[in-house]
């Protein structure tokens, strides 16, 4: 049989028969390399072996015992039986008991030696010391001398032949895989680790590993599976041993290489293309267009983009900023740079309401300066639509705003230089890549109002360069956030009426529940009737929900935006982007049912004007502890970045965006939250690796081939080059 390597199939490994092989395969573990990356989630220090006579009450240690007898006894509780072992550890008699584990009869036979691990209970009335439900390992003959003291510090290397993986050392505890319990896995992995070539050389450049003083892949795997004597369990369990660090960095390094290759592919796509420089004419135009002073981070984002426009490389930029941070104006000024040089700009929004709103804002800013702006949505009549398409195709229209039908229905541009995608988190992961691709060679800015923790930004959008708007424009009124039980709703209604009396507007959001299949939206509609005929009688109230005909929904939204409605009862369809500066009150019913990011977005619909605003989160029933934590976070902060971090902490990364669609790449050893620092380091190293001559070496080529094999599909990497 050929030597075991990382690609050896699990069924060919020693200790793995057909049944075990099937269990491993079912768990997605096909090759030795996969199995080696199933790291222990915990370790147990069984090296500190003691005699019972030296142990005090409650102390836990490994005790080696010669079995004298094993007895199964019924108890007074029906069906419950006790297995009791009596034995001798060289110092005194020892007892151990287990509940119901009758099969131990066949394992812990008299005359055998067993290592028991657990806390000892010293008997009060003279009986032998007792271990309750201890973990046990059989001591195979010849492995341990009776009464041998702890091998701590004796330098026994884990791979030393004859050393048992199960006792007398720090042992790894694995998650069970099908029929393979921790002990079986330990045996198989011990074998595998002992083999010379199973680990393979790995894919971290040797020069990098040695500069960072990280062990070889082989040593790293030995260490994380079988920590050396005296190792700190805490360090290992936090996955901060040097072996863990090596494996984490290696995994991130390969991912970062994939990202970096993707970026290079994008950037060279238009190398040699047009460049848009900033001159005095443009500067003076920008000054005339700008209705206010830009915030420092708006200015910084624009300066970066201006530099990028001047370079022949394609821009692929993510503008991340909290709700209300002023992303639109950044996109508009950037578009000015491009239009100043005769190219066209396009802005794409996820909903028609939002597209129309952007159109109105942008036309208001640009038309006075002779720039021609058009709106292109599905709502347009056929004739208007044809005219608009012609104007865009001829180059007459300089700035076109639309929904993503803009791209789907293939509007032809004369000379598209710059595409902006607003609220990109509303477009799914798949849509996002296709948008990027259809953006073709032109410069692209993607804007998102859902700030996500930096570690995730990198994993999700690492192929984009990042600009952040970290502050809100000056003069904003902070939003007061109140959490109230539903019993206090009458008072909440009164506050809504007060706002309306002062000329303000309010949103009243309820979750889409209790609705029947036949009449979607009936829940909101029923609630709307109750409110309109009851507490909001006499006010101008209407409602919208996601499943009503879009024409009707858009009309109602538009009426609210124009101030013709005073209260809008809605589902979360109003979550995205709409700017109604006169709205000062946001009531969310059953707030405990919403996610943190969603509540933050909803709250961001108010407080966008000069008047102070209030968000009231109404809690129905008894919220779970998690829901209470979410609401507390919202009361405490309105910083979207902090809220994102808290959201992640409360939900964990798996659940952060709803696992499947999250787009978070599947890592095996690394964790993008815990290991965020490693991801940063990996990106830096990947960039300098690709820029160095190392990629031309045999090692470099081997690494890049591997990157294409594992990440090529996700990043749509070209086959080579
Ligand atoms: P978002 O980032 O949520 O898309 P918008 O671009 O809609 O935010 O901006 C929110 C509001 O803030 C708009 O009314 C906009 O005119 C205003 N605004 C943006 N930047 C500034 C600024 N620097 N100073 C004052 N107001 C600003
Ligand atoms: Mg916006």
């Amino acid at each position: 049989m050929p030597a075991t390597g990382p690609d050896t199939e699990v069924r060919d490994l020693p200790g793995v028969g057909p049944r075990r092989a099937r269990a491993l395969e079912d768990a997605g573990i096909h090759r030795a390399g996969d199995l080696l990356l199933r790291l222990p989630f915990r370790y147990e220090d069984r090296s500190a072996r003691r005699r019972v006579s030296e142990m005090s009450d409650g102390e836990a240690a490994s005790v080696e015992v010669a079995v004298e007898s094993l007895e199964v006894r019924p108890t007074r509780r029906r069906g419950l039986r006790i297995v009791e072992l009596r034995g001798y550890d060289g110092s005194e008699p020892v007892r151990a008991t287990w509940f119901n584990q009758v099969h131990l009869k066949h394992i812990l036979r008299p005359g055998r030696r067993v290592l028991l691990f657990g806390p000892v209970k010293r008997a009060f009335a003279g009986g032998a010391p007792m271990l309750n439900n201890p973990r046990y390992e059989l001591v195979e003959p010849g492995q341990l001398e009776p009464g041998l003291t702890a091998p701590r510090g004796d330098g026994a290397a884990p791979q030393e032949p004859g050393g048992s993986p199960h006792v007398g050392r720090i042992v790894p505890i694995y998650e069970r895989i099908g029929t393979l319990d921790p002990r079986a896995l330990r045996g198989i992995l011990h074998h595998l680790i002992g083999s010379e070539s199973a680990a393979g050389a790995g894919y971290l450049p040797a020069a990098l590993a040695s500069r960072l003083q990280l062990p070889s892949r082989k040593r790293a795997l030995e260490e994380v599976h079988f920590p050396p004597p005296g190792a700190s369990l805490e360090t290992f369990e936090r996955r901060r041993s040097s072996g863990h660090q090596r494996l984490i960095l290696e995994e991130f390094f390969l991912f970062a290489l994939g990202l970096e290759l993707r970026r290079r592919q994008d950037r060279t796509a238009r190398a040699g293309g047009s460049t848009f420089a900033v001159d005095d004419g443009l500067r003076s135009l920008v000054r005339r267009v700008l209705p206010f002073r830009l915030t420092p981070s708006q200015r910084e984002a624009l300066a970066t983009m201006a530099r990028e426009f001047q370079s022949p490389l394609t821009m692929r930029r993510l503008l991340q900023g909290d709700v209300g941070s002023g992303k639109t104006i950044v996109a508009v000024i950037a578009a000015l740079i491009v239009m100043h040089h005769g190219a066209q700009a396009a802005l794409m929004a996820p909903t028609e309401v939002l597209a129309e709103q952007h159109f109105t804002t942008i036309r208001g800013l640009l038309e006075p300066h002779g720039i021609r702006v058009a709106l292109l949505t599905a709502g347009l009549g056929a004739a208007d639509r044809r005219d608009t398409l012609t104007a865009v195709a001829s180059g007459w229209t300089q700035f076109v705003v639309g929904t993503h039908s803009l791209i789907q229905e293939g509007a032809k541009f004369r000379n598209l230089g710059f595409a902006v995608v607003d609220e990109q988190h509303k477009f799914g992961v798949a849509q996002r890549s296709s948008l990027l691709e259809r953006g073709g060679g032109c410069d692209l800015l993607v804007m998102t109002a859902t700030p996500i923790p930096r570690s995730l930004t990198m994993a999700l959008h690492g192929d984009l360069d990042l600009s952040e708007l970290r502050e809100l424009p000056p003069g904003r009124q902070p939003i007061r956030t109140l959490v109230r039980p539903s019993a206090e709703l009458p008072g909440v209604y009164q506050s809504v009426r007060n706002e309306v009396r002062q000329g303000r507007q309010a949103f009243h959001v309820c979750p889409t529940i209790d609705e029947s299949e036949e009449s979607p939206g009936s829940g909101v509609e029923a609630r709307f009737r109750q409110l309109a005929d009851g507490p909001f009688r006499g006010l101008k109230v209407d409602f919208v929900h996601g499943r009503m005909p879009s024409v009707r929904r858009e009309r109602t939204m538009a009426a609210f935006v124009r101030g013709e409605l005073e209260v809008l009862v809605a589902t979360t369809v109003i979550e995205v982007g709409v700017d109604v500066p006169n709205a000062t009150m946001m009531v969310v019913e059953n707030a405990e049912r919403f996610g943190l990011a969603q509540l933050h977005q909803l709250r961001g619909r108010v407080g966008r004007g000069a008047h102070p605003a209030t968000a009231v989160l109404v809690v129905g029933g008894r919220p779970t502890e998690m829901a209470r934590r979410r609401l507390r976070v919202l009361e405490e902060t309105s910083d979207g970045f902090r809220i994102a971090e808290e959201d992640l902490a409360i939900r964990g990364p798996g659940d952060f965006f709803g696992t499947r669609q999250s787009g978070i790449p599947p890592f095996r050893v690394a964790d993008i939250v815990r290991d965020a620092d490693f991801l940063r380091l990996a990106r830096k190293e990947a960039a300098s690796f690709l820029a160095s001559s190392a990629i031309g070496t045999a090692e470099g080529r081997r690494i890049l081939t591997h990157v294409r094999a594992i990440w090529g599909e996700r990043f749509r990497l070209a086959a080579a080059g």
Side-chain angles (χ1 to χ4, degrees):
M1 202 200 272
T4 304
D7 290 330
T8 303
E9 305 213 16
V10 286
R11 75 174 99 92
D12 295 332
L13 298 178
V16 181
R19 249 187 48 181
R20 288 179 165 183
R22 207 164 331 110
L24 290 169
E25 304 255 350
D26 286 348
I29 299 166
H30 303 286
R31 291 167 192 283
D34 301 330
L35 187 55
L36 283 168
L37 290 180
R38 275 299 180 112
L39 304 192
F41 70 101
R42 196 165 71 74
Y43 300 88
E44 218 164 77
D45 192 346
R46 296 185 188 165
S47 56
R49 285 194 296 114
R50 306 282 296 276
R51 291 178 197 224
V52 165
S53 59
E54 301 160 352
M55 291 166 63
S56 49
D57 193 46
E59 192 182 337
S62 302
V63 183
E64 195 191 335
V65 172
V67 181
E68 287 170 350
S69 71
L70 200 83
E71 210 184 306
V72 179
R73 288 192 277 109
T75 64
R76 256 173 287 163
R77 266 190 46 204
R78 263 192 57 199
L80 185 66
R81 284 183 292 177
I82 287 185
V83 178
E84 180 169 331
L85 174 149
R86 285 171 183 279
Y88 186 70
D89 82 335
S91 66
E92 60 184 311
V94 176
R95 288 189 303 154
T97 56
W98 293 267
F99 288 116
N100 273 353
Q101 301 198 36
V102 179
H103 66 280
L104 291 179
K105 227 169 28 186
H106 308 295
I107 301 170
L108 306 179
R109 296 223 187 87
R112 288 205 158 155
R113 310 193 71 85
V114 60
L115 196 86
L116 302 176
F117 178 83
V120 69
K121 186 111 199 87
R122 297 216 69 100
F124 298 103
M130 162 101 122
L131 292 127
N132 273 325
N133 235 357
R135 293 165 201 287
Y136 64 92
E137 303 281 3
L138 277 184
V139 178
E140 280 130 54
Q143 268 180 5
L144 286 173
E145 297 306 315
L148 190 81
T149 44
R152 181 182 284 275
D154 68 358
Q159 68 279 21
E160 210 169 75
S164 162
H166 307 293
V167 290
R169 58 146 39 103
I170 297 174
V171 298
I173 313 288
Y174 300 93
E175 246 165 82
R176 166 185 288 275
I177 302 175
T179 52
L180 279 87
D181 61 17
R183 186 185 159 95
L185 282 165
R186 199 184 299 138
I188 297 167
L189 275 155
H190 190 247
H191 236 103
L192 204 48
I193 291 291
S195 114
E196 209 29 63
S197 50
Y203 299 96
L204 201 58
L208 174 59
S210 91
R211 176 155 49 82
L212 298 175
Q213 301 187 349
L214 293 172
S216 70
R217 184 176 175 82
K218 178 166 166 39
R219 266 221 8 245
L221 285 166
E222 274 165 21
E223 182 185 303
V224 299
H225 286 285
F226 295 97
S232 146
L233 291 199
E234 202 243 329
T235 304
F236 273 70
E237 283 176 1
R238 280 182 30 243
R239 309 217 163 179
R240 282 297 173 271
S241 74
S242 61
H244 283 104
Q245 296 192 31
R246 146 98 201 192
L247 298 175
I248 290 167
L249 191 73
E250 183 167 1
E251 186 163 40
F252 276 158
F253 181 74
L254 293 172
F255 171 70
L257 281 176
L259 280 178
E260 200 55 37
L261 287 172
R262 167 80 214 190
R263 270 154 54 96
R264 286 169 172 242
Q265 209 168 288
D266 282 340
R267 290 172 77 86
T268 49
R270 212 188 59 153
S274 28
T275 64
F276 310 110
V278 176
D279 56 30
D280 285 343
L282 178 63
R283 279 193 201 94
S284 111
L285 175 62
V286 168
R287 266 195 300 276
R288 278 177 284 137
V289 166
L290 266 183
F292 35 64
R293 273 176 68 86
L294 294 175
T295 64
S297 51
Q298 283 174 326
R299 224 171 307 146
E300 191 187 315
L302 273 169
T304 311
M305 289 168 73
R307 270 198 305 280
E308 271 179 312
F309 280 135
Q310 279 180 53
S311 127
L313 300 179
T314 309
M315 176 192 303
R316 286 284 180 272
R317 184 158 290 277
L318 176 72
L319 180 61
Q320 186 171 291
D322 210 347
V323 278
S325 58
K327 294 182 289 294
T328 317
I329 194 73
V330 174
V332 171
I333 302 297
L336 274 183
I337 302 178
V338 172
M339 294 187 291
H340 183 66
H341 290 274
Q344 293 168 293
L347 186 150
M348 212 164 18
T351 66
E352 299 214 352
V353 176
L354 204 51
E356 275 170 35
Q357 192 165 64
H358 278 317
F359 171 65
T360 310
T361 310
I362 294 169
R363 189 176 53 176
L365 287 168
L366 301 184
E367 268 190 2
H369 305 281
I371 295 166
R372 295 175 295 274
V373 185
L375 175 68
L376 188 64
T377 65
L380 239 51
D384 285 348
R385 187 178 164 72
R386 215 173 32 241
D387 289 352
T388 308
L389 283 171
T390 310
V392 171
S394 70
W396 168 258
T397 296
Q398 294 165 280
F399 198 140
V400 56
V401 179
T403 52
H404 60 291
S405 66
L406 230 183
I407 277 185
Q408 279 169 351
E409 289 167 31
K412 294 236 168 24
F413 289 84
R414 177 81 203 289
N415 178 17
L416 182 63
F418 182 45
V420 183
V421 181
D422 191 25
E423 307 292 357
Q424 86 89 34
H425 65 283
K426 284 286 152 186
F427 298 99
V429 176
Q431 266 175 313
R432 180 181 157 250
S433 342
S434 94
L435 286 176
L436 276 174
E437 260 148 43
R438 290 186 213 206
C442 86
D443 288 312
L444 183 79
L445 179 69
V446 165
M447 311 200 288
T448 180
T450 301
I452 53 178
R454 284 158 181 282
S455 51
L456 293 184
T457 302
M458 227 182 268
L460 279 172
H461 308 297
D463 47 343
L464 305 175
D465 296 307
L466 178 66
S467 288
E468 279 174 303
L469 301 184
R470 295 220 70 128
E471 71 273 318
L472 296 181
R476 285 284 164 79
Q477 301 275 354
I479 304 167
R480 199 161 51 119
T481 302
L482 309 170
V483 177
R484 293 285 179 268
S486 52
E488 289 179 33
L489 268 171
V492 176
Y493 299 140
Q494 198 48 52
S495 318
V496 170
R497 296 191 74 98
N498 286 343
E499 288 297 309
V500 171
R501 194 172 312 125
Q502 291 169 47
R504 307 284 91 79
Q505 290 163 278
F507 293 101
H508 190 105
V509 173
C510 32
T512 25
I513 38 136
D514 311 328
E515 47 186 44
S516 59
E517 282 288 307
E518 308 87 70
S519 55
S522 56
V524 190
E525 195 163 342
R527 187 75 186 116
F528 158 72
R529 304 244 168 265
Q530 281 172 7
L531 290 167
D533 295 341
F536 296 152
R537 194 199 305 265
L539 304 185
K540 288 178 231 151
V541 195
D542 208 340
F543 71 97
V544 289
H545 59 74
R547 295 205 256 163
M548 72 204 314
S550 67
V551 186
R552 222 180 105 202
R553 183 176 63 236
E554 306 281 341
R555 217 170 30 222
T556 308
M557 292 284 255
F560 188 72
V561 172
R562 286 194 301 269
E564 290 158 16
L565 291 170
E566 291 163 334
V567 179
L568 187 64
V569 179
T571 58
T572 54
V573 288
I574 53 130
E575 181 193 325
V576 177
V578 193
D579 194 27
V580 187
N582 191 48
T584 52
M585 188 128 181
M586 168 62 66
V587 180
V588 184
E589 278 191 64
N590 291 110
E592 75 282 357
R593 300 203 183 143
F594 292 97
L596 198 39
Q598 208 170 19
L599 288 170
H600 178 62
Q601 286 282 323
L602 284 170
R603 178 170 64 175
R605 297 302 108 223
V606 297
R608 300 167 78 87
H611 305 283
T614 309
V616 187
L617 308 178
V618 181
V619 180
R622 198 174 299 150
T624 63
E625 172 53 30
M626 260 219 222
R628 274 203 298 270
R629 263 178 81 185
R630 287 201 294 270
L631 297 171
R632 223 175 297 135
V633 171
L634 286 164
E635 276 182 307
E636 281 166 14
T637 182
S638 56
D639 175 348
F641 287 93
R642 243 209 73 203
I643 287 171
E645 302 282 353
E646 295 285 344
D647 201 8
L648 184 59
I650 294 174
R651 290 203 281 171
D655 190 38
F656 191 68
F657 287 112
T659 326
R660 275 294 138 62
Q661 299 167 25
S662 76
I664 297 174
F667 294 116
R668 296 209 262 187
V669 181
D671 174 311
I672 47 173
V673 178
R674 181 193 64 205
D675 305 325
D677 290 346
F678 288 86
L679 182 52
R680 262 187 288 280
L681 176 64
R683 287 210 66 189
K684 202 182 105 223
E685 294 296 346
S688 59
F689 178 72
L690 284 183
S692 76
S693 58
I695 54 169
T697 64
E699 184 192 44
R701 281 195 301 273
R702 193 175 66 83
I703 292 172
L704 290 186
T705 304
H706 187 64
V707 170
R708 289 206 165 81
I710 62 174
W711 291 114
E713 201 175 323
R714 178 183 174 94
F715 294 124
R716 297 171 199 241
L717 298 178

